[in-house]
Amino acid sequence: MIRELGPNDIVYLLEAARWTIALALIAMVAGGVLGLVVAVLRIVAFAPANWLAIGYINLVQGTPLLGQLFIFFFGLPLFGIQVGAWEAAALALSINASAFLGEIWRGSLQSVSPRQWEAGAALGLNYWQRLTSVILPQAVRISIAPTVGYLMQLVKDTSLTALIGFIELTRASQILSAATFKPLQVYGLAAIAYFVICFSLSRLSQHLEKRTHAAR
Amino acid sequence: MPLVEITDIHKSFGLVEVLKGVSLTLEKGEIAAVIGRSGSGKSTMLRCVNGLERVQSGRIVVDGLEVTAPATDLNVLRQRVGMVFQSYNLFPHLNVERNVMLALRKVRRMADAEARDIARAMVAKVGLADKLAAYPDELSGGQQQRVAIARSLAMQPTIMLFDEITSALDPELVGEVLKVLEELAREGMTMMLVTHEMNFAKNVADRVIFMHQGNVHEDGPARETLLEPRTPELGSFLSAVLH
């Protein structure tokens, strides 16, 4: 039965958007922590660690996110591990984010001048102190724009989880569109919601960049 | 025993041999100016002294620590050997005070208050007490270089290495940095400086070491060596830089 699009439906979409945001946040935090490990493994002077990180990055970046979602959602139960759409989505997006953020941060770390490493070394700082006190703070500044750029991508990527039945903004729009038969209005509203989330991130990025001191 | 003892060091970058058996010693309190054409190996030699470059063969002993021994902890050595670079290399994310405090806090494990006191004293010593809160990108080249010297001095090194520290500066800023070096010289700091400032070498250094094609070509008292070079290579180098 086809019905009209009402205020309740907008509330329904906004509630679904909360899951989009929650999923993106989890992937951001878990993927961020793991991504930092990936970035460090990628640059430390220990070849096996570099290979491990490169292999991981290639595997994750070289396969589609949708495939990764399916692997966790349909694959894990085959090994007796029961996962719902929520867990599978959070896991797949976190792993995906860790590879992309790891690469972005690796690039940021390596774009800090080698002379900064030397200046730290000349003062007697050990490798770890140079990395954490000298290089990382500068790399963070460099990484803000590409990191936020990726996070916007991530927000939109959460829409793929609709395909394993996770009810976030896109899946909710599908349901609503089927019920009201007003796809243009429904998906238009969803697009506005995505835009608001991403635009906020972009403003946050500009704010952060202004606050930190630039590397020359 | 000399403070620095370099014995027959060899260093190559790929197929290019930059140091071809350099030997020299430096006594405590001595000020040696290292001069020579670009590519003569003077900067590389200096960077070997604190282990920023590893040698292929030969031996370097600094303040009783064998730099070239694999077991030596270079981070310990570098607490005693200060180094200032041509490009200042201040930490751009930290203000002047924090730049000087960093190694005191991390390496010497000092409390913030103690480190801050030392940092303020060192920054005042190079005449920048009013710039403690400034970030490196708000300072002139000469000011940045003076902060870099203060940052290094804060660790109370037994010897200071200066790698062409005035070469990147505008001519009118060179003087303020050299003044700091003269002050250090008066205090009796042991210094080894790679420089193109021949007047400074003549007036402040005790010794001039002329490097040529990866070797020490002449080594003698500063005034004498610069005024009456014994080898035609130094003679032609001097006439090229002085005119």
Side-chain angles (χ1 to χ4, degrees), chain B residues 55-91:
Chain B
V55 297
Q56 265 92 42
S57 68
R59 197 175 126 97
I60 303 173
V61 180
V62 177
D63 199 13
L65 279 175
E66 192 177 342
V67 184
T68 40
T72 301
D73 185 350
L74 290 177
N75 298 323
V76 171
L77 169 85
R78 288 169 185 155
Q79 294 175 41
R80 303 191 209 164
V81 183
M83 186 169 204
V84 182
F85 302 89
Q86 180 177 347
S87 48
Y88 336 131
N89 301 355
L90 293 180
F91 305 131

Side-chain angles (χ1 to χ4, degrees), chain A residues 115-139:
Chain A
R115 288 170 176 166
Q116 289 287 313
W117 285 97
E118 277 189 353
L123 288 166
L125 297 167
N126 64 33
Y127 182 86
W128 189 247
Q129 291 167 333
R130 277 173 242 162
L131 181 66
T132 55
S133 303
V134 177
I135 304 302
L136 266 180
Q138 298 183 55

